[in-house]
Amino acid sequence: MAPLFVNTPSDGRPRCVELMASPSVVLLCSTRWEVQNGVAVRGQGVADGKRIGALELAKLVESVPPRAVGSLMGKLAGSFAVLDAREPGVVRLVSDMVSSMPVYYTLDGSRLTVSDDSVALAQETGCLSEIDSQASLAMLLAGFTLGTSTICRRVHCLQAAECVVLTCKGSYWASTQDDLFSWEWRPDGGHTDDYWFSAWSEVLNDEFEDIITELDGRTAVIPLSGGHDSTLILLMLKRLGYEKVVAFSYGRRGNQDSTVSERVAAALRVPWFFVEYGTETWRQFLSSRDYNNYATWAGGLRSIAHVGDFVAVRELASGGRIDAGSVLIPGHTMDLVSGGHIPLQWQERLMTGSGSVTADDIAQITFERHMGLWNRRFAIATLHQTGLQVAEANDLFEQLQEELCPAGGVVDVVEACSVVDAFDWRNRQGKFIANSVRVYDWFGFDWLLPYWDRRIIDFWLRVPPELRLNRRLQKNVTFQIGADLGIDLHQLGLPSVASLARNMSGLRLRQIGRVVPGVRLILDVERKRRCIARDPLGAFEGWPDARERRLLWQNSPSPTINSLASLHASRLLQNGGKA
């Protein structure tokens, strides 16, 4: 028998209705799912060049045999989650390119439970207190868990571009995972720079024409960070003549990012709002019921909840500056897609097209990049405070090595870049960065993630390394579109493409800082100064102290879950919000 679909009642509390003959239950805690004939779909997609909503997506899923659903959805652009239970004893779960709409499941003997709310799922199945210590350590060090794990041992998450097939074997359920996309650099060196500049402009036109169709006259709200990617969203909407646009920024008054954002918005004649964040703002928010409820729900047991623009969106919505029908369009995460995460240590090798990289190098760079939010000893001590016994962080490094290790152990630098990008995409981007849209869900807003469209990813995986280094293609096209609209982005404060020599000199200085304490101290002070000046969360310097940390701990209803999230979020914000 097919699963029982249970929608959340009006009081917002998920519920589960048991049927003796039903082998599984589905808890749909969001009201935005379209459910019919054993198929549940949330979101929107692009099929045959046309953007379609959840109802049309559900009908599209119904039009193919269950076994073809993964292949069908793997070819679609858009943001969606699909649950197909038409085949007796089989449930298929499918995610989009960045798992922007999380889905979780538990396998407990003959019972399968699926939900879009991991905490509700853990509570329903009675496994909320069964904490996975290794996943919790990853959560503290990185802000997210690895692979399909969550910090509850029996709760699993659907990863980006994945189809999970759950099959009833009589007395138990089994699962298999199929990847629907391979993140692999495929550089096409047979074209001129002019070709790539023109091709990227055309891809952007196609994407934003679809977005304007989806907007259908609604207000586009752009969280304008002062960087190239959110600026490009604003530029493209203006370029294509869409006028119903507003922008907002937040943070310490006078921070550099917001100053640039205000200039860009003014030059494009776009209404711009600023929400000031002070230390007291964060003290009140992080000790409030709002924070605790949001962080518990939005983190999803697989990541720390994004809170950066929560207060800003709340203030703008309550003040009537953005209306209920608005669509938020953040710039996540063109930085990764267009080459911004290429390790500095490999840039010279990419330029020369020579040199190999070992599996140990790949694992070390990945560990250093993603696992440094907390000191390892302090993270382990924090877990001990919750009663959890954990292995040393070295075990986590070994887990990374197993996941990342390419066949043969030594690869060329292009393949190495593919490996570290793929880890970033499936883990940090899919679980933490893209999950920032939960803020918009919380306040009832629609949202779009244009840079995670399948067409854009496919394009950038073909771009030659020399155009990805320093994000040369992305930045230059952004500046050109600005010039076409009559504005000089460099004059407004957006940085132009940095030279490779400047990048390498900075890398060598940091390498020296590792072994020379005085240099390291100078670098740390300078990094903090820049963070406070640039970052919207810079007002959070030096916080929290022990008193606030204890306050958060006491306010956490579950000492094994929420306190970990609260402590980690505190540290994340103390570091300027930089993951």
Side-chain angles (χ1 to χ4, degrees):
M1 183 180 291
L4 173 67
F5 289 87
V6 183
N7 280 303
T8 308
S10 58
D11 62 7
R13 295 175 59 85
R15 64 181 179 180
C16 169
V17 178
E18 292 282 2
L19 289 182
M20 292 294 291
S22 178
S24 60
V25 173
V26 177
L27 295 165
L28 299 179
C29 298
S30 167
T31 59
R32 298 191 177 196
W33 290 81
E34 290 287 347
V35 181
Q36 59 179 25
N37 303 324
V39 173
V41 174
R42 182 184 173 191
Q44 46 76 34
V46 179
D48 297 326
K50 179 183 177 183
R51 193 170 289 267
I52 58 177
L55 180 59
E56 291 82 3
L57 270 179
K59 292 178 180 177
L60 184 62
V61 171
E62 284 190 85
S63 71
V64 301
R67 293 176 183 270
V69 169
S71 176
L72 169 71
M73 302 308 294
K75 297 174 183 176
L76 293 187
S79 298
F80 52 79
V82 174
L83 191 153
D84 182 0
R86 292 174 295 161
E87 185 178 349
V90 180
V91 175
R92 289 178 172 83
L93 309 175
V94 185
S95 61
D96 61 25
M97 274 298 298
V98 71
S99 61
S100 62
M101 299 176 182
V103 177
Y104 305 88
Y105 58 95
T106 62
L107 306 173
D108 187 7
S110 61
R111 174 180 166 131
L112 160 70
T113 310
V114 181
S115 181
D116 55 359
D117 185 326
S118 60
V119 175
L121 174 62
Q123 290 172 334
E124 178 61 37
T125 54
C127 63
L128 193 61
S129 61
E130 298 178 19
I131 303 302
D132 184 323
S133 59
Q134 200 69 7
S136 297
L137 179 59
M139 177 83 90
L140 287 175
L141 293 177
F144 50 80
T145 59
L146 304 183
T148 63
S149 66
T150 71
I151 63 174
C152 276
R153 190 174 295 109
R154 286 196 282 132
V155 177
H156 308 281
C157 65
L158 188 63
Q159 297 188 98
E162 184 176 61
C163 176
V164 171
V165 182
L166 305 163
T167 308
C168 183
K169 301 291 186 179
S171 60
Y172 69 96
W173 283 81
S175 66
T176 58
Q177 288 85 31
D178 294 325
D179 292 338
L180 302 180
F181 187 82
S182 175
W183 191 287
E184 181 182 354
W185 284 25
R186 302 180 292 272
D188 182 353
H191 303 285
T192 64
D193 287 2
D194 286 343
Y195 164 85
W196 289 109
F197 279 51
S198 175
W200 177 225
S201 184
E202 290 177 12
V203 171
L204 284 169
N205 276 339
D206 290 343
E207 173 65 20
F208 280 89
E209 284 173 356
D210 284 347
I211 285 175
I212 289 173
T213 301
E214 174 70 17
L215 287 170
D216 192 25
R218 295 179 291 174
T219 301
V221 180
I222 315 302
L224 200 57
S225 68
H228 297 83
D229 303 330
S230 59
T231 297
L232 182 58
I233 292 175
L234 200 59
L235 291 171
M236 287 304 303
L237 291 173
K238 296 295 287 186
R239 180 188 199 182
L240 295 175
Y242 198 78
E243 295 297 333
K244 206 166 181 183
V245 182
V246 300
F248 73 92
S249 303
Y250 54 89
R252 290 166 60 101
R253 184 162 297 281
N255 77 77
Q256 185 176 342
D257 286 359
S258 296
T259 299
V260 173
S261 299
E262 183 178 16
R263 292 171 184 165
V264 170
L268 291 170
R269 298 180 181 178
V270 169
W272 178 84
F273 304 115
F274 178 75
V275 179
E276 184 173 4
Y277 286 7
T279 303
E280 190 58 30
T281 305
W282 285 109
R283 289 183 192 273
Q284 292 177 4
F285 171 56
L286 289 177
S287 59
S288 70
R289 182 175 297 178
D290 271 357
Y291 165 72
N292 195 62
N293 291 340
Y294 169 74
T296 301
W297 168 77
L301 305 183
R302 67 175 187 173
S303 75
I304 294 306
H306 249 277
V307 296
D309 54 356
F310 186 101
V311 175
V313 174
R314 182 184 65 186
E315 296 302 313
L316 293 172
S318 63
R321 294 182 176 181
I322 53 178
D323 58 68
S326 297
V327 181
L328 283 104
I329 312 178
H332 309 315
T333 303
M334 200 62 211
D335 190 39
L336 168 69
V337 175
S338 62
H341 291 193
I342 298 172
L344 290 176
Q345 297 91 322
W346 300 346
Q347 291 193 6
E348 284 183 322
R349 291 179 234 181
L350 276 172
M351 286 295 291
T352 60
S354 62
S356 59
V357 177
T358 68
D360 284 346
D361 290 339
I362 293 173
Q364 187 64 43
I365 280 178
T366 303
F367 196 89
E368 290 179 355
R369 172 174 289 178
H370 296 291
M371 304 288 172
L373 286 177
W374 270 16
N375 175 279
R376 298 181 203 178
R377 290 183 182 178
F378 185 67
I380 291 171
T382 300
L383 289 172
H384 284 319
Q385 283 184 276
T386 68
L388 294 174
Q389 301 298 316
V390 296
E392 292 298 322
N394 287 339
D395 290 346
L396 198 60
F397 182 77
E398 291 173 4
Q399 182 182 343
L400 265 182
Q401 284 180 309
E402 291 178 7
E403 180 175 340
L404 296 170
C405 183
V410 177
V411 297
D412 65 50
V413 68
V414 170
E415 184 175 346
C417 287
S418 296
V419 172
V420 296
D421 274 4
F423 175 88
D424 197 330
W425 158 58
R426 271 261 163 90
N427 291 280
R428 183 170 182 264
Q429 305 300 325
K431 297 170 186 171
F432 179 62
I433 300 298
N435 200 49
S436 65
V437 298
R438 300 285 80 77
V439 171
Y440 314 142
D441 284 338
W442 184 264
F443 292 104
F445 291 110
D446 287 339
W447 47 265
L448 293 168
L449 292 172
Y451 295 139
W452 282 111
D453 189 287
R454 172 70 181 268
R455 295 167 294 184
I456 286 180
I457 307 299
D458 282 335
F459 171 84
W460 276 97
L461 290 178
R462 294 174 47 235
V463 174
E466 59 269 21
L467 290 176
R468 300 183 66 154
L469 284 170
N470 303 314
R471 306 185 68 211
R472 178 182 159 209
L473 174 59
Q474 165 70 353
K475 292 180 179 179
N476 284 344
V477 168
T478 301
F479 273 75
Q480 184 57 55
I481 293 173
D484 293 344
L485 292 172
I487 63 174
D488 184 338
L489 293 174
H490 184 69
Q491 189 176 30
L492 295 178
L494 261 74
S496 55
V497 178
S499 69
L500 181 60
R502 192 194 314 170
N503 285 345
M504 296 311 299
S505 64
L507 171 64
R508 292 181 181 115
L509 188 59
R510 287 194 290 276
Q511 289 171 333
I512 294 171
R514 291 180 180 178
V515 295
V516 182
V519 173
R520 183 169 185 173
L521 177 61
I522 293 170
L523 289 173
D524 286 344
V525 171
E526 176 64 11
R527 189 179 299 115
K528 184 170 184 179
R529 185 193 67 79
R530 289 186 180 182
C531 178
I532 293 169
R534 286 193 58 83
D535 196 87
L537 298 178
F540 221 71
E541 58 183 297
W543 196 90
D545 59 24
R547 182 176 63 84
E548 278 84 17
R549 196 175 294 125
R550 284 195 300 273
L551 177 65
L552 286 173
W553 188 281
Q554 292 165 359
N555 282 353
S556 299
S558 169
T560 54
I561 293 180
N562 291 336
S563 57
L564 290 180
S566 296
L567 286 171
H568 184 76
S570 302
R571 187 66 180 186
L572 178 67
L573 291 167
Q574 181 184 3
N575 288 340
K578 294 296 188 185

